[in-house]
Amino acid sequence: MKSKAFNSLVKSWVSQGDKETLNTIKYSSFNKGSSFLKKVPSLGDNSPDWSNIIGDPPSNAGSTTLQELKTVQNYSNKSTDKKFKEEILRADRDMDSLFLDVIGSDSFSKYEEQIIKTFYGYLEPVIINLKWKFDRPRPYQLGELLGIPIQHITTKTHHTPAYPSGHAAYGAMMARILSYTRPEKTQEFHSVQNQIGIARVMQGVHYPSDNFASIFLVETLWKFFNNNVLND
């Protein structure tokens, strides 16, 4: 972690209204070590350019981020409630179980597992690479600098940049795969997708726009995958 002197210096910039400086703050500004990138497997000819599907996240100093921070603050205040905390931690650690509850089984079919393995093998490095491309600070990091303290639950899953959300992407992926194999439960699968995204906001580790970007990204990639890989 960066020193207290670093945080004090940035806070002084913020108090002086230095928006340009605030916009240079990244996730990596708070954390030692460098980014790491992963090789993205090919989906074949004419596959989408994953690096340009989503745009830049809202700027640190903009009104959108300010409003999002207040939203995260309000939602994360609920995380002290035992019931909410249990759901937050379940979404953090075991997203599959939420979808299996809808199916009413303790496992996915072999065909579903094959699709999940193939598509996630492509999606996971895309998410990692985009996180480090944008290097967006987590809400609790930026909130501290802006005087909007955010209570967050510390786990092992939020030690990379915020945008786009990996959990929201996984939830969106699972909702689409399972809606493909079990279309009669599409609405329920998408409800779980939304539940996962809300849990990440309540945990204090994601802005709503992190989730929206992930859903749009997965929707775009899934359409190509569905049309050109599954139905090839």
Side-chain angles (χ1 to χ4, degrees):
M1 297 297 290
K2 294 290 184 180
S3 67
K4 291 182 179 179
F6 169 79
N7 283 357
S8 297
L9 179 60
V10 175
K11 286 180 180 179
S12 71
W13 289 333
V14 173
S15 66
Q16 295 167 22
D18 190 345
K19 292 185 177 182
E20 182 177 348
T21 300
L22 181 60
N23 284 332
T24 67
I25 300 300
K26 304 293 185 181
Y27 172 84
S28 56
S29 302
F30 299 88
N31 298 271
K32 295 180 180 180
S34 58
S35 64
F36 59 94
L37 302 179
K38 292 193 173 186
K39 183 178 180 180
V40 179
S42 173
L43 287 182
D45 296 337
N46 302 315
S47 59
D49 179 5
W50 55 265
S51 65
N52 288 309
I53 292 175
I54 59 174
D56 293 343
S59 65
N60 293 343
S63 59
T64 297
T65 294
L66 180 62
Q67 184 57 54
E68 285 198 300
L69 285 171
K70 291 178 180 178
T71 297
V72 177
Q73 185 184 55
N74 289 335
Y75 271 71
S76 63
N77 285 339
K78 303 178 188 294
S79 65
T80 55
D81 181 280
K82 183 178 179 180
K83 181 179 179 181
F84 283 131
K85 187 173 183 178
E86 288 175 354
E87 291 302 315
I88 290 168
L89 291 176
R90 189 181 181 197
D92 177 82
R93 299 167 180 169
D94 192 9
M95 290 180 283
D96 282 353
S97 70
L98 299 172
F99 290 100
L100 289 170
D101 282 352
V102 174
I103 295 172
S105 173
D106 59 2
S107 64
F108 303 112
S109 71
K110 290 184 178 180
Y111 180 55
E112 288 166 343
E113 289 179 349
Q114 180 182 0
I115 299 174
I116 293 167
K117 180 179 180 180
T118 302
F119 190 62
Y120 191 62
Y122 173 78
L123 178 63
E124 192 259 352
V126 167
I127 293 294
I128 291 295
N129 292 351
L130 288 175
K131 280 178 173 289
W132 286 110
K133 172 185 177 180
F134 296 112
D135 202 10
R136 189 183 196 185
R138 294 281 177 169
Y140 56 86
Q141 295 172 321
L142 192 59
E144 180 182 357
L145 300 179
L146 291 173
I148 307 174
I150 291 172
Q151 180 173 279
H152 72 284
I153 299 174
T154 301
T155 62
K156 297 179 179 179
T157 65
H158 54 88
H159 302 290
T160 54
Y163 180 92
S165 165
H167 277 66
Y170 188 86
M173 176 196 76
M174 292 298 291
R176 279 146 189 79
I177 291 173
L178 296 175
S179 293
Y180 171 77
T181 58
R182 306 171 191 262
E184 72 280 0
K185 293 185 178 293
T186 294
Q187 185 174 351
E188 293 167 85
F189 292 137
H190 280 76
S191 292
V192 173
Q193 166 198 283
N194 296 335
Q195 178 184 343
I196 291 169
I198 292 171
R200 297 301 278 176
V201 174
M202 292 183 70
Q203 189 175 339
V205 298
H206 277 294
Y207 311 82
S209 55
D210 297 339
N211 297 334
F212 301 149
S214 292
I215 293 170
F216 181 76
L217 174 69
V218 170
E219 181 66 25
T220 302
L221 296 176
W222 172 253
K223 285 180 180 178
F224 180 85
F225 184 84
N226 189 10
N227 293 330
N228 297 276
V229 179
L230 283 181
N231 297 316
D232 189 9

